[in-house]
């Protein structure tokens, strides 16, 4: 019997597993091997990069990441009220880069490589199908090996669909779903370490740097458009991307591994209860705006790891830390979700006053240096949550 079991092997779950095991906590990770062919990427903000450096993960994947030093926002709508183009440079707040963009397959491989080095971490390559929550321990039943079972005092969960979350994890409000189409592409012009986000009537169309003359693309479309876009050949899709991006990166060539995924916005009403905590996408799903999704999940992982490692060293029952985790993460999660939701609604709404408010806000951010720098600092290092790992401090 270990002290902690983590269900789900996404980047947030793997980060929590590595952090806990690095801190001397006997940890079990229950997760199948990720499916091949997923070429989605993640934009890691500076706090997340510091955490991965501290956990000795970043060196395993640094060569596959590209810095994002400038963020450019362009209003590409055809509406009456349009915002001015705005640019934000990391150098304004004393940073070399806001963060780094990396393909998830390289990030996951680096986390797995580090996990294999830790004797306190056991990886069960299986699927958890049920979680039974008792007063003193949590029992997880797996699909393979005759439905084998294991009991642990606590269980962080990181999965797009939690296998058996506690009743407190029901979503607040229904998720807002619009399909998003991610793809990686090559291009003839250099990106100059600049992320470009076009705001359209259906959602963001975002180009984020990858190493060399490559970028990742995520664009959100109406459900009615999905069929047409999915049937385009790579050459046709490349031409469509070049048109929508106004040729800012020149001639485009689409790489393999493109896909269509639902874009949702939802959050759990409770992040921790009954010896179980929710982290990553089991706790919150964020619209693809402002690189908040995975970074929010990694702060979850850093926060629960800090609580459990400290409790383990002080002889506490780590399974009783779940409500403390819920309080610790509530402000950060709520503020991020509200901010992203407000920006998303202002982008999709046809309500003229809301469009005007969005345009005015971007204008003030672009013109007022102190305001612009304050917002940039909050986006990269939120005041509501800076766990020790995000500050580069070992647990």
């Amino acid at each position: 019997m270990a002290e902690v079991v983590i269900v789900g092997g996404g980047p947030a779950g793997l980060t929590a597993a590595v952090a806990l095991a690095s801190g001397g906590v006997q940890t079990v990770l229950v997760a199948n091997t990720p499916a091949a062919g997923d070429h989605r990427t993640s934009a890691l903000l500076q706090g997340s990069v510091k955490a991965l450096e501290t956990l000795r993960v970043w060196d395993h994947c640094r060569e596959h990441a590209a810095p994002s030093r400038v963020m450019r926002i362009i209003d590409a709508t055809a509406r009456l009220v349009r915002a001015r183009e705005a640019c934000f440079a990391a150098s304004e707040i004393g940073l070399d880069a806001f963060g780094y963009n990396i393909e998830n397959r390289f990030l996951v491989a680096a986390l797995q490589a580090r996990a294999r080095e830790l004797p306190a971490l056991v990886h069960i390559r299986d699927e958890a199908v049920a979680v039974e929550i008792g007063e003193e321990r949590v029992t997880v039943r797996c699909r393979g090996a005759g439905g084998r079972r294991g009991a642990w005092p606590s269980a962080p969960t990181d999965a797009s669909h939690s296998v058996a979350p506690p009743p407190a994890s029901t979503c607040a409000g229904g998720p807002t779903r619009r399909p998003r189409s991610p793809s990686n592409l090559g291009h003839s012009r250099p990106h100059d370490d600049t992320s470009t986000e076009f705001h359209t009537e259906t959602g963001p169309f975002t180009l984020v740097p990858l190493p060399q003359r490559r970028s990742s693309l995520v664009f959100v479309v109406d459900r009615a458009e999905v069929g047409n876009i999915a049937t385009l050949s790579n050459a046709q899709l490349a031409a469509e991307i070049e048109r929508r991006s106004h040729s800012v990166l020149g001639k485009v060539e689409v790489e393999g591994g493109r896909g269509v995924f639902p874009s949702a916005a939802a959050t759990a009403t409770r992040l921790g209860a009954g010896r179980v905590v929710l982290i990553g996408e089991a706790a919150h799903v964020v619209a693809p705006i402002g690189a908040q999704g995975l970074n929010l999940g990694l702060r979850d992982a850093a926060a629960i790891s800090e609580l459990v490692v400290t409790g383990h060293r002080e002889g506490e029952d780590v399974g009783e830390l779940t409500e403390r985790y819920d309080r610790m993460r509530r402000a950060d999660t709520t503020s991020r979700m509200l901010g992203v939701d407000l920006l998303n609604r202002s982008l999709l709404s046809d309500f003229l006053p809301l469009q005007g408010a969005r345009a005015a806000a971007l204008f003030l951010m672009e013109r007022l240096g102190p305001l612009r720098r304050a917002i940039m600092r909050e986006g990269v290092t939120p005041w509501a949550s800076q766990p020790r790992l995000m500050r580069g401090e070992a647990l």
Side-chain angles (χ1 to χ4, degrees):
M1 186 172 76
E3 281 194 86
V4 175
V5 60
I6 295 171
V7 178
L14 278 165
T15 299
V18 168
L20 288 164
S22 297
V25 178
Q26 293 296 318
T27 304
V28 171
L29 173 67
V30 179
N32 274 325
T33 303
D38 186 351
H39 294 273
R40 283 177 290 178
T41 66
S42 292
L44 301 172
L45 297 176
Q46 277 292 347
S48 297
V49 174
K50 281 185 180 180
L52 294 172
E53 287 176 338
T54 306
L55 294 172
R56 295 166 55 190
V57 171
W58 190 239
D59 284 344
H60 290 287
C61 58
R62 184 192 303 270
E63 63 179 308
H64 300 292
S68 178
R69 295 189 167 96
V70 176
M71 298 182 69
R72 183 183 182 194
I73 298 176
I74 299 173
D75 189 335
T77 66
R79 290 169 173 158
L80 179 63
V81 180
R82 297 177 59 196
R84 291 178 46 145
E85 179 178 328
C87 285
F88 307 92
S91 59
E92 289 188 72
I93 54 174
L95 297 177
D96 177 61
F98 291 114
Y100 289 79
N101 194 37
I102 186 170
E103 292 180 59
N104 287 353
R105 58 192 176 119
F106 295 124
L107 175 59
V108 168
L111 286 161
Q112 290 175 335
R114 178 62 180 135
R116 289 191 292 270
E117 298 171 353
L118 298 169
L121 177 59
V122 175
H123 187 177
I124 297 176
R125 298 182 185 279
D126 204 342
E127 180 184 358
V129 294
V131 176
E132 300 165 10
I133 306 167
E135 290 187 6
E136 296 184 357
R137 61 181 50 85
V138 171
T139 301
V140 178
R141 189 172 72 248
C142 298
R143 184 178 300 280
R148 61 182 169 186
R149 298 159 66 93
W152 297 274
S154 59
T157 302
D158 167 39
S160 295
H161 304 284
S162 177
V163 292
S169 70
T170 53
C171 289
T176 301
R177 292 186 176 273
R178 280 173 176 261
R180 56 190 173 94
S181 177
S183 180
N184 297 333
L185 46 94
H187 39 79
S188 60
R189 294 177 183 167
H191 49 56
D192 295 325
D193 300 333
T194 298
S195 297
T196 304
E197 185 169 291
F198 293 91
H199 287 179
T200 76
E201 288 86 351
T202 60
F205 177 96
T206 307
L207 294 156
V208 189
L210 283 172
Q212 302 175 345
R213 291 193 179 186
R214 299 173 62 239
S215 293
S216 63
L217 166 71
V218 173
F219 69 102
V220 181
V221 297
D222 283 328
R223 190 174 295 277
E225 281 191 89
V226 174
N228 292 333
I229 293 174
T231 58
L232 295 177
S233 68
N234 280 354
Q236 290 170 326
L237 181 59
E240 181 64 12
I241 291 170
E242 188 174 338
R243 181 186 70 81
R244 293 188 185 224
S245 65
H246 304 274
S247 299
V248 294
L249 295 177
K251 184 174 176 56
V252 168
E253 182 176 345
V254 175
E255 298 179 359
R258 75 197 220 199
V260 177
F261 300 87
S263 178
T267 186
T269 56
R270 291 284 300 278
L271 302 181
R275 293 186 171 272
V276 173
V277 301
L278 303 179
I279 67 175
E281 289 193 345
H284 37 68
V285 183
V286 187
I289 296 176
Q292 295 302 315
L294 178 57
N295 292 283
L296 197 59
L298 294 184
R299 290 200 293 277
D300 294 339
I304 189 60
S305 300
E306 182 176 326
L307 285 173
V308 170
V309 169
T310 301
H312 167 78
R313 289 173 181 163
E314 295 178 356
E316 293 185 63
D317 178 354
V318 298
E320 296 181 354
L321 300 172
T322 56
E323 294 199 8
R324 196 182 308 173
Y325 166 81
D326 180 74
R327 293 192 300 271
M328 185 176 181
R329 294 298 301 139
R330 182 57 54 189
D332 185 26
T333 300
T334 301
S335 63
R336 298 291 124 175
M337 295 295 292
L338 287 175
V340 170
D341 183 62
L342 180 60
L343 180 57
N344 195 39
R345 288 178 187 274
S346 72
L347 186 58
L348 302 178
S349 175
D350 290 324
F351 186 50
L352 276 177
L354 187 57
Q355 294 176 20
R358 172 177 158 271
L362 284 172
F363 174 79
L364 290 174
M365 286 168 58
E366 201 269 335
R367 282 302 184 94
L368 300 179
L371 175 64
R372 182 174 66 251
R373 289 188 288 273
I375 292 173
M376 284 192 287
R377 289 191 187 96
E378 174 61 19
V380 177
T381 54
W383 69 268
S385 179
Q386 275 299 292
R388 288 169 55 187
L389 282 174
M390 298 312 192
R391 302 194 299 265
E393 300 173 12
L395 298 179

